[in-house]
Amino acid sequence: MKITNKLTRFIPAMIAAALLSFGASQATYAAKWDASMTPDEVEATLDKKFAEGHYSPKGADSCLMCHRKSEKVMDLFKGVHGAIDSSKSPMAGLQCESCHGPMGKHNKGGKEPMIDFGPTSSLSAEKQNSVCLSCHQDDKRMSWNGGHHDNADVACASCHSVHTAKDPVLSKSTEMEVCTSCHTKQKADMHKRSSHPMKWNQMVCSDCHNPHGSMSDADLVKPSVNETCYSCHAEKRGPKLWEHAPVTEDCVACHNPHGSVNEGMLKTRAPQLCQQCHSSAHSGQALFGNTAQGASVTDNAMTGGRSCLNCHNQIHGSNHPSGKLFQR
């Protein structure tokens, strides 16, 4: 990483060496005030600046005197937050200072802190998010406080990009890439042989989950797991004349919705899956059926093909008068 002589003068030798050793591949950046102030001091200074409210009379023009050479800064005007013709845009009000706070004496050498966002910010995720929520507090985000991302101290800027023409997480073609940068287990699952078509972007995380929080488990968009699944799999919805208890209780009792190596995204293939509840099978050898000491496990209906489902093929429920055993 290239660090200019001017910046190095403000950073103690130990920190400068650590940044250099971090590698050129990492986009690490330290604000000028981080060299002389602790995160608590930065936060206290910002609170004082807000109380004083010394905003620039020229708005964004004052900021662009120094920051106009930055391509990332200028990309703001390509998106909705930089739209000068929108009454809902920050540009209609305090402009840059709507998000980054009052300028105060920041332009007098640039050492006075401003609100910074993203992984390099010295501010906590809660402080960063309070800026975003000052405008984006609506019914879609009413469950943010106490939600999974909030409890994990995830900042809005960890997922959203403001200084860009198009926020990647708001596009179905790039949403999965953003989400799976953290949710790596789910990324691995969705590339298994049986999965929802997420890897082709035919489905995205937000089809089932509300990243801003909800009142249901796993921040689901519906009140329950089953209601979420029924949004697409309406044929599995009851009531049925003969119902299978785990089906009506919770789909994920048998399925892994993010993907599985087993057919139908089953957590375990039959008969092992069925035997987690049905410990007494049709024979004395629950796993191998009537085969000769288990030498061949594919020559009877108990273990061959779809195993239990060879006979109990209406396992999600049956409306047939004789379907008590889910065979019809």
Side-chain angles (χ1 to χ4, degrees):
M1 179 183 297
K2 182 179 179 182
I3 300 180
T4 62
N5 292 333
K6 183 177 180 181
L7 179 59
T8 307
R9 287 199 301 269
F10 291 101
I11 303 178
M14 183 178 296
I15 298 180
L19 290 176
L20 287 168
S21 65
F22 196 64
S25 62
Q26 302 295 329
T28 302
Y29 166 78
K32 290 184 178 182
W33 53 82
D34 286 338
S36 56
M37 304 174 70
T38 65
D40 288 340
E41 290 173 338
V42 171
E43 186 172 326
T45 303
L46 289 171
D47 289 340
K48 181 180 178 182
K49 289 178 65 176
F50 268 101
E52 295 173 348
H54 292 157
Y55 291 90
S56 169
K58 296 182 179 180
D61 290 340
S62 298
C63 306
L64 294 178
M65 289 179 64
C66 295
H67 295 287
R68 68 179 181 275
K69 294 181 180 180
S70 170
E71 182 178 352
K72 180 179 179 181
V73 170
M74 299 307 294
D75 281 345
L76 172 72
F77 298 99
K78 299 178 181 179
V80 295
H81 287 83
I84 59 177
D85 57 348
S86 173
S87 61
K88 296 181 179 180
S89 167
M91 288 297 120
L94 295 172
Q95 301 185 346
C96 303
E97 293 167 286
S98 296
C99 299
H100 295 283
M103 178 177 289
K105 298 179 180 179
H106 173 75
N107 61 337
K108 308 297 184 181
K111 295 181 184 179
E112 188 174 86
M114 301 289 289
I115 296 176
D116 198 9
F117 299 90
T120 59
S121 176
S122 57
L123 290 177
S124 65
E126 182 182 6
K127 282 287 185 180
Q128 295 180 53
N129 294 345
S130 65
V131 177
C132 306
L133 291 174
S134 63
C135 291
H136 296 284
Q137 187 68 58
D138 53 27
D139 58 342
K140 294 181 180 179
R141 299 163 187 85
M142 62 185 298
S143 297
W144 169 261
N145 293 324
H148 286 77
H149 283 126
D150 179 38
N151 289 336
D153 291 329
V154 175
C156 302
S158 298
C159 303
H160 292 280
S161 299
V162 172
H163 285 254
T164 184
K166 196 171 185 180
D167 189 350
V169 78
L170 298 182
S171 172
K172 287 200 171 186
S173 61
T174 51
E175 179 183 327
M176 293 297 302
E177 182 180 350
V178 177
C179 298
T180 54
S181 63
C182 291
H183 298 282
T184 54
K185 182 181 183 301
Q186 286 71 24
K187 181 179 182 179
D189 285 341
M190 76 184 203
H191 284 91
K192 292 177 179 176
R193 64 181 294 269
S194 177
S195 67
H196 282 110
M198 294 182 288
K199 56 188 173 185
W200 297 293
N201 297 318
Q202 294 177 358
M203 277 185 67
V204 292
C205 304
S206 58
D207 288 334
C208 299
H209 301 277
N210 183 346
H212 300 111
S214 73
M215 302 302 290
S216 60
D217 291 340
D219 289 338
L220 293 172
V221 295
K222 298 290 185 180
S224 67
V225 172
N226 282 22
E227 286 298 319
T228 304
C229 299
Y230 293 153
S231 298
C232 296
H233 302 281
E235 76 282 3
K236 303 297 189 296
R237 185 196 300 270
K240 300 287 182 71
L241 181 61
W242 304 102
E243 293 186 333
H244 193 191
V247 174
T248 57
E249 181 181 354
D250 196 340
C251 299
V252 299
C254 298
H255 300 278
N256 181 349
H258 296 108
S260 169
V261 296
N262 302 300
E263 191 67 27
M265 294 184 286
L266 292 175
K267 289 184 173 180
T268 308
R269 73 175 302 273
Q272 287 87 350
L273 177 66
C274 307
Q275 290 168 349
Q276 290 177 2
C277 294
H278 303 281
S279 57
S280 296
H282 294 288
S283 72
Q285 298 182 14
L287 182 60
F288 300 118
N290 293 321
T291 59
Q293 303 300 320
S296 174
V297 294
T298 60
D299 60 358
N300 66 51
M302 174 64 183
T303 55
R306 299 175 70 230
S307 187
C308 306
L309 303 179
N310 288 329
C311 298
H312 307 283
N313 49 63
Q314 300 300 315
I315 204 63
H316 291 99
S318 173
N319 279 320
H320 194 283
S322 298
K324 180 178 180 180
L325 299 178
F326 311 117
Q327 293 176 320
R328 295 174 175 83

PDB file of all heavy atoms in Angstrom, residues 12-42:
ATOM      1  N   PRO A  12       1.919   7.403  13.840  1.00  0.00           N
ATOM      2  CA  PRO A  12       3.080   6.891  14.558  1.00  0.00           C
ATOM      3  C   PRO A  12       3.753   5.786  13.769  1.00  0.00           C
ATOM      4  O   PRO A  12       3.136   5.063  12.998  1.00  0.00           O
ATOM      5  CB  PRO A  12       2.473   6.355  15.861  1.00  0.00           C
ATOM      6  CG  PRO A  12       1.206   7.109  16.015  1.00  0.00           C
ATOM      7  CD  PRO A  12       0.704   7.367  14.645  1.00  0.00           C
ATOM      8  N   ALA A  13       5.022   5.638  13.966  1.00  0.00           N
ATOM      9  CA  ALA A  13       5.814   4.694  13.184  1.00  0.00           C
ATOM     10  C   ALA A  13       5.282   3.270  13.278  1.00  0.00           C
ATOM     11  O   ALA A  13       5.243   2.534  12.291  1.00  0.00           O
ATOM     12  CB  ALA A  13       7.271   4.731  13.660  1.00  0.00           C
ATOM     13  N   MET A  14       4.814   2.878  14.453  1.00  0.00           N
ATOM     14  CA  MET A  14       4.320   1.506  14.634  1.00  0.00           C
ATOM     15  C   MET A  14       3.080   1.260  13.788  1.00  0.00           C
ATOM     16  O   MET A  14       2.943   0.217  13.148  1.00  0.00           O
ATOM     17  CB  MET A  14       4.006   1.253  16.109  1.00  0.00           C
ATOM     18  CG  MET A  14       3.550  -0.179  16.398  1.00  0.00           C
ATOM     19  SD  MET A  14       3.236  -0.441  18.153  1.00  0.00           S
ATOM     20  CE  MET A  14       4.883  -0.197  18.820  1.00  0.00           C
ATOM     21  N   ILE A  15       2.153   2.236  13.775  1.00  0.00           N
ATOM     22  CA  ILE A  15       0.924   2.076  13.002  1.00  0.00           C
ATOM     23  C   ILE A  15       1.237   2.099  11.511  1.00  0.00           C
ATOM     24  O   ILE A  15       0.675   1.330  10.726  1.00  0.00           O
ATOM     25  CB  ILE A  15      -0.085   3.176  13.357  1.00  0.00           C
ATOM     26  CG1 ILE A  15      -0.464   3.078  14.839  1.00  0.00           C
ATOM     27  CG2 ILE A  15      -1.325   3.082  12.479  1.00  0.00           C
ATOM     28  CD1 ILE A  15      -1.447   4.126  15.284  1.00  0.00           C
ATOM     29  N   ALA A  16       2.137   2.962  11.104  1.00  0.00           N
ATOM     30  CA  ALA A  16       2.515   3.034   9.696  1.00  0.00           C
ATOM     31  C   ALA A  16       3.091   1.703   9.226  1.00  0.00           C
ATOM     32  O   ALA A  16       2.780   1.216   8.140  1.00  0.00           O
ATOM     33  CB  ALA A  16       3.540   4.150   9.481  1.00  0.00           C
ATOM     34  N   ALA A  17       3.930   1.096  10.056  1.00  0.00           N
ATOM     35  CA  ALA A  17       4.519  -0.193   9.689  1.00  0.00           C
ATOM     36  C   ALA A  17       3.462  -1.274   9.583  1.00  0.00           C
ATOM     37  O   ALA A  17       3.491  -2.126   8.691  1.00  0.00           O
ATOM     38  CB  ALA A  17       5.572  -0.598  10.726  1.00  0.00           C
ATOM     39  N   ALA A  18       2.491  -1.222  10.489  1.00  0.00           N
ATOM     40  CA  ALA A  18       1.414  -2.223  10.453  1.00  0.00           C
ATOM     41  C   ALA A  18       0.589  -2.081   9.185  1.00  0.00           C
ATOM     42  O   ALA A  18       0.206  -3.084   8.567  1.00  0.00           O
ATOM     43  CB  ALA A  18       0.529  -2.065  11.681  1.00  0.00           C
ATOM     44  N   LEU A  19       0.307  -0.832   8.774  1.00  0.00           N
ATOM     45  CA  LEU A  19      -0.465  -0.616   7.561  1.00  0.00           C
ATOM     46  C   LEU A  19       0.305  -1.087   6.336  1.00  0.00           C
ATOM     47  O   LEU A  19      -0.267  -1.671   5.411  1.00  0.00           O
ATOM     48  CB  LEU A  19      -0.812   0.872   7.416  1.00  0.00           C
ATOM     49  CG  LEU A  19      -1.834   1.434   8.411  1.00  0.00           C
ATOM     50  CD1 LEU A  19      -1.998   2.931   8.200  1.00  0.00           C
ATOM     51  CD2 LEU A  19      -3.165   0.729   8.252  1.00  0.00           C
ATOM     52  N   LEU A  20       1.611  -0.844   6.315  1.00  0.00           N
ATOM     53  CA  LEU A  20       2.414  -1.279   5.190  1.00  0.00           C
ATOM     54  C   LEU A  20       2.448  -2.794   5.076  1.00  0.00           C
ATOM     55  O   LEU A  20       2.411  -3.355   3.988  1.00  0.00           O
ATOM     56  CB  LEU A  20       3.840  -0.734   5.322  1.00  0.00           C
ATOM     57  CG  LEU A  20       3.994   0.775   5.052  1.00  0.00           C
ATOM     58  CD1 LEU A  20       5.364   1.242   5.495  1.00  0.00           C
ATOM     59  CD2 LEU A  20       3.784   1.070   3.575  1.00  0.00           C
ATOM     60  N   SER A  21       2.495  -3.476   6.207  1.00  0.00           N
ATOM     61  CA  SER A  21       2.568  -4.933   6.208  1.00  0.00           C
ATOM     62  C   SER A  21       1.217  -5.579   5.925  1.00  0.00           C
ATOM     63  O   SER A  21       1.138  -6.781   5.668  1.00  0.00           O
ATOM     64  CB  SER A  21       3.082  -5.435   7.566  1.00  0.00           C
ATOM     65  OG  SER A  21       2.160  -5.123   8.582  1.00  0.00           O
ATOM     66  N   PHE A  22       0.161  -4.792   5.953  1.00  0.00           N
ATOM     67  CA  PHE A  22      -1.178  -5.331   5.737  1.00  0.00           C
ATOM     68  C   PHE A  22      -1.379  -5.797   4.309  1.00  0.00           C
ATOM     69  O   PHE A  22      -2.232  -6.619   4.024  1.00  0.00           O
ATOM     70  CB  PHE A  22      -2.220  -4.257   6.093  1.00  0.00           C
ATOM     71  CG  PHE A  22      -3.598  -4.805   6.287  1.00  0.00           C
ATOM     72  CD1 PHE A  22      -3.863  -5.694   7.313  1.00  0.00           C
ATOM     73  CD2 PHE A  22      -4.625  -4.429   5.436  1.00  0.00           C
ATOM     74  CE1 PHE A  22      -5.130  -6.195   7.496  1.00  0.00           C
ATOM     75  CE2 PHE A  22      -5.908  -4.917   5.618  1.00  0.00           C
ATOM     76  CZ  PHE A  22      -6.155  -5.806   6.651  1.00  0.00           C
ATOM     77  N   GLY A  23      -0.578  -5.252   3.398  1.00  0.00           N
ATOM     78  CA  GLY A  23      -0.630  -5.736   2.015  1.00  0.00           C
ATOM     79  C   GLY A  23      -1.327  -4.778   1.091  1.00  0.00           C
ATOM     80  O   GLY A  23      -2.277  -4.110   1.450  1.00  0.00           O
ATOM     81  N   ALA A  24      -0.821  -4.748  -0.131  1.00  0.00           N
ATOM     82  CA  ALA A  24      -1.365  -3.819  -1.115  1.00  0.00           C
ATOM     83  C   ALA A  24      -2.756  -4.209  -1.565  1.00  0.00           C
ATOM     84  O   ALA A  24      -3.488  -3.411  -2.138  1.00  0.00           O
ATOM     85  CB  ALA A  24      -0.424  -3.749  -2.315  1.00  0.00           C
ATOM     86  N   SER A  25      -3.143  -5.451  -1.328  1.00  0.00           N
ATOM     87  CA  SER A  25      -4.453  -5.917  -1.782  1.00  0.00           C
ATOM     88  C   SER A  25      -5.587  -5.436  -0.902  1.00  0.00           C
ATOM     89  O   SER A  25      -6.750  -5.542  -1.262  1.00  0.00           O
ATOM     90  CB  SER A  25      -4.481  -7.453  -1.828  1.00  0.00           C
ATOM     91  OG  SER A  25      -4.285  -7.973  -0.537  1.00  0.00           O
ATOM     92  N   GLN A  26      -5.280  -4.915   0.285  1.00  0.00           N
ATOM     93  CA  GLN A  26      -6.320  -4.484   1.211  1.00  0.00           C
ATOM     94  C   GLN A  26      -6.562  -2.979   1.075  1.00  0.00           C
ATOM     95  O   GLN A  26      -5.623  -2.184   1.058  1.00  0.00           O
ATOM     96  CB  GLN A  26      -5.922  -4.811   2.665  1.00  0.00           C
ATOM     97  CG  GLN A  26      -5.648  -6.269   2.897  1.00  0.00           C
ATOM     98  CD  GLN A  26      -6.889  -7.102   2.714  1.00  0.00           C
ATOM     99  OE1 GLN A  26      -7.992  -6.634   2.972  1.00  0.00           O
ATOM    100  NE2 GLN A  26      -6.727  -8.331   2.266  1.00  0.00           N
ATOM    101  N   ALA A  27      -7.828  -2.586   1.016  1.00  0.00           N
ATOM    102  CA  ALA A  27      -8.181  -1.174   0.861  1.00  0.00           C
ATOM    103  C   ALA A  27      -8.306  -0.514   2.236  1.00  0.00           C
ATOM    104  O   ALA A  27      -9.369  -0.112   2.662  1.00  0.00           O
ATOM    105  CB  ALA A  27      -9.477  -1.041   0.083  1.00  0.00           C
ATOM    106  N   THR A  28      -7.216  -0.439   2.953  1.00  0.00           N
ATOM    107  CA  THR A  28      -7.224   0.158   4.288  1.00  0.00           C
ATOM    108  C   THR A  28      -6.966   1.654   4.185  1.00  0.00           C
ATOM    109  O   THR A  28      -6.100   2.100   3.441  1.00  0.00           O
ATOM    110  CB  THR A  28      -6.142  -0.500   5.166  1.00  0.00           C
ATOM    111  OG1 THR A  28      -6.397  -1.892   5.221  1.00  0.00           O
ATOM    112  CG2 THR A  28      -6.157   0.083   6.553  1.00  0.00           C
ATOM    113  N   TYR A  29      -7.719   2.407   4.956  1.00  0.00           N
ATOM    114  CA  TYR A  29      -7.583   3.853   4.935  1.00  0.00           C
ATOM    115  C   TYR A  29      -7.763   4.381   6.338  1.00  0.00           C
ATOM    116  O   TYR A  29      -8.664   3.965   7.049  1.00  0.00           O
ATOM    117  CB  TYR A  29      -8.629   4.478   4.007  1.00  0.00           C
ATOM    118  CG  TYR A  29      -8.773   5.968   4.171  1.00  0.00           C
ATOM    119  CD1 TYR A  29      -7.846   6.837   3.621  1.00  0.00           C
ATOM    120  CD2 TYR A  29      -9.830   6.504   4.905  1.00  0.00           C
ATOM    121  CE1 TYR A  29      -7.978   8.203   3.781  1.00  0.00           C
ATOM    122  CE2 TYR A  29      -9.965   7.861   5.069  1.00  0.00           C
ATOM    123  CZ  TYR A  29      -9.037   8.707   4.499  1.00  0.00           C
ATOM    124  OH  TYR A  29      -9.163  10.051   4.667  1.00  0.00           O
ATOM    125  N   ALA A  30      -6.881   5.267   6.757  1.00  0.00           N
ATOM    126  CA  ALA A  30      -7.005   5.882   8.074  1.00  0.00           C
ATOM    127  C   ALA A  30      -7.210   7.377   7.892  1.00  0.00           C
ATOM    128  O   ALA A  30      -6.441   8.047   7.220  1.00  0.00           O
ATOM    129  CB  ALA A  30      -5.746   5.628   8.903  1.00  0.00           C
ATOM    130  N   ALA A  31      -8.294   7.909   8.456  1.00  0.00           N
ATOM    131  CA  ALA A  31      -8.561   9.335   8.384  1.00  0.00           C
ATOM    132  C   ALA A  31      -7.515  10.099   9.189  1.00  0.00           C
ATOM    133  O   ALA A  31      -6.912   9.564  10.120  1.00  0.00           O
ATOM    134  CB  ALA A  31      -9.960   9.632   8.916  1.00  0.00           C
ATOM    135  N   LYS A  32      -7.318  11.334   8.849  1.00  0.00           N
ATOM    136  CA  LYS A  32      -6.276  12.131   9.503  1.00  0.00           C
ATOM    137  C   LYS A  32      -6.505  12.252  11.005  1.00  0.00           C
ATOM    138  O   LYS A  32      -5.574  12.250  11.784  1.00  0.00           O
ATOM    139  CB  LYS A  32      -6.201  13.518   8.870  1.00  0.00           C
ATOM    140  CG  LYS A  32      -5.647  13.513   7.451  1.00  0.00           C
ATOM    141  CD  LYS A  32      -5.510  14.920   6.902  1.00  0.00           C
ATOM    142  CE  LYS A  32      -4.908  14.921   5.508  1.00  0.00           C
ATOM    143  NZ  LYS A  32      -4.732  16.285   4.974  1.00  0.00           N
ATOM    144  N   TRP A  33      -7.784  12.353  11.394  1.00  0.00           N
ATOM    145  CA  TRP A  33      -8.058  12.518  12.819  1.00  0.00           C
ATOM    146  C   TRP A  33      -7.837  11.232  13.603  1.00  0.00           C
ATOM    147  O   TRP A  33      -7.663  11.258  14.811  1.00  0.00           O
ATOM    148  CB  TRP A  33      -9.472  13.038  13.030  1.00  0.00           C
ATOM    149  CG  TRP A  33     -10.545  12.221  12.348  1.00  0.00           C
ATOM    150  CD1 TRP A  33     -11.121  11.082  12.804  1.00  0.00           C
ATOM    151  CD2 TRP A  33     -11.147  12.495  11.082  1.00  0.00           C
ATOM    152  NE1 TRP A  33     -12.054  10.617  11.915  1.00  0.00           N
ATOM    153  CE2 TRP A  33     -12.105  11.466  10.844  1.00  0.00           C
ATOM    154  CE3 TRP A  33     -11.004  13.501  10.129  1.00  0.00           C
ATOM    155  CZ2 TRP A  33     -12.878  11.413   9.693  1.00  0.00           C
ATOM    156  CZ3 TRP A  33     -11.797  13.456   8.995  1.00  0.00           C
ATOM    157  CH2 TRP A  33     -12.710  12.422   8.779  1.00  0.00           C
ATOM    158  N   ASP A  34      -7.843  10.077  12.927  1.00  0.00           N
ATOM    159  CA  ASP A  34      -7.617   8.818  13.626  1.00  0.00           C
ATOM    160  C   ASP A  34      -6.199   8.710  14.175  1.00  0.00           C
ATOM    161  O   ASP A  34      -5.926   7.911  15.067  1.00  0.00           O
ATOM    162  CB  ASP A  34      -7.876   7.628  12.691  1.00  0.00           C
ATOM    163  CG  ASP A  34      -9.365   7.429  12.448  1.00  0.00           C
ATOM    164  OD1 ASP A  34     -10.149   7.895  13.278  1.00  0.00           O
ATOM    165  OD2 ASP A  34      -9.724   6.805  11.436  1.00  0.00           O
ATOM    166  N   ALA A  35      -5.275   9.513  13.628  1.00  0.00           N
ATOM    167  CA  ALA A  35      -3.893   9.454  14.083  1.00  0.00           C
ATOM    168  C   ALA A  35      -3.699  10.122  15.432  1.00  0.00           C
ATOM    169  O   ALA A  35      -2.789   9.775  16.183  1.00  0.00           O
ATOM    170  CB  ALA A  35      -2.976  10.113  13.047  1.00  0.00           C
ATOM    171  N   SER A  36      -4.571  11.069  15.749  1.00  0.00           N
ATOM    172  CA  SER A  36      -4.378  11.845  16.981  1.00  0.00           C
ATOM    173  C   SER A  36      -5.535  11.724  17.962  1.00  0.00           C
ATOM    174  O   SER A  36      -5.462  12.256  19.064  1.00  0.00           O
ATOM    175  CB  SER A  36      -4.181  13.328  16.627  1.00  0.00           C
ATOM    176  OG  SER A  36      -5.269  13.812  15.868  1.00  0.00           O
ATOM    177  N   MET A  37      -6.598  11.011  17.570  1.00  0.00           N
ATOM    178  CA  MET A  37      -7.770  10.902  18.429  1.00  0.00           C
ATOM    179  C   MET A  37      -8.202   9.448  18.547  1.00  0.00           C
ATOM    180  O   MET A  37      -8.133   8.690  17.586  1.00  0.00           O
ATOM    181  CB  MET A  37      -8.942  11.739  17.871  1.00  0.00           C
ATOM    182  CG  MET A  37      -8.629  13.210  17.657  1.00  0.00           C
ATOM    183  SD  MET A  37      -9.980  14.106  16.843  1.00  0.00           S
ATOM    184  CE  MET A  37     -11.206  14.110  18.137  1.00  0.00           C
ATOM    185  N   THR A  38      -8.662   9.071  19.714  1.00  0.00           N
ATOM    186  CA  THR A  38      -9.214   7.739  19.917  1.00  0.00           C
ATOM    187  C   THR A  38     -10.652   7.717  19.394  1.00  0.00           C
ATOM    188  O   THR A  38     -11.265   8.780  19.217  1.00  0.00           O
ATOM    189  CB  THR A  38      -9.212   7.360  21.401  1.00  0.00           C
ATOM    190  OG1 THR A  38     -10.113   8.234  22.105  1.00  0.00           O
ATOM    191  CG2 THR A  38      -7.803   7.471  21.989  1.00  0.00           C
ATOM    192  N   PRO A  39     -11.229   6.532  19.150  1.00  0.00           N
ATOM    193  CA  PRO A  39     -12.624   6.476  18.701  1.00  0.00           C
ATOM    194  C   PRO A  39     -13.589   7.198  19.638  1.00  0.00           C
ATOM    195  O   PRO A  39     -14.535   7.845  19.178  1.00  0.00           O
ATOM    196  CB  PRO A  39     -12.912   4.974  18.652  1.00  0.00           C
ATOM    197  CG  PRO A  39     -11.575   4.354  18.370  1.00  0.00           C
ATOM    198  CD  PRO A  39     -10.591   5.204  19.099  1.00  0.00           C
ATOM    199  N   ASP A  40     -13.350   7.109  20.947  1.00  0.00           N
ATOM    200  CA  ASP A  40     -14.220   7.808  21.899  1.00  0.00           C
ATOM    201  C   ASP A  40     -14.098   9.312  21.754  1.00  0.00           C
ATOM    202  O   ASP A  40     -15.097  10.048  21.860  1.00  0.00           O
ATOM    203  CB  ASP A  40     -13.871   7.398  23.333  1.00  0.00           C
ATOM    204  CG  ASP A  40     -14.301   5.973  23.649  1.00  0.00           C
ATOM    205  OD1 ASP A  40     -15.175   5.449  22.932  1.00  0.00           O
ATOM    206  OD2 ASP A  40     -13.759   5.383  24.603  1.00  0.00           O
ATOM    207  N   GLU A  41     -12.890   9.781  21.498  1.00  0.00           N
ATOM    208  CA  GLU A  41     -12.680  11.218  21.316  1.00  0.00           C
ATOM    209  C   GLU A  41     -13.321  11.695  20.019  1.00  0.00           C
ATOM    210  O   GLU A  41     -13.887  12.798  19.961  1.00  0.00           O
ATOM    211  CB  GLU A  41     -11.189  11.534  21.330  1.00  0.00           C
ATOM    212  CG  GLU A  41     -10.537  11.372  22.699  1.00  0.00           C
ATOM    213  CD  GLU A  41      -9.024  11.533  22.650  1.00  0.00           C
ATOM    214  OE1 GLU A  41      -8.431  11.352  21.561  1.00  0.00           O
ATOM    215  OE2 GLU A  41      -8.438  11.836  23.706  1.00  0.00           O
ATOM    216  N   VAL A  42     -13.240  10.871  18.980  1.00  0.00           N
ATOM    217  CA  VAL A  42     -13.888  11.226  17.713  1.00  0.00           C
ATOM    218  C   VAL A  42     -15.388  11.357  17.909  1.00  0.00           C
ATOM    219  O   VAL A  42     -16.019  12.327  17.461  1.00  0.00           O
ATOM    220  CB  VAL A  42     -13.580  10.162  16.638  1.00  0.00           C
ATOM    221  CG1 VAL A  42     -14.425  10.413  15.384  1.00  0.00           C
ATOM    222  CG2 VAL A  42     -12.102  10.176  16.269  1.00  0.00           C
TER     223      VAL A  42
END
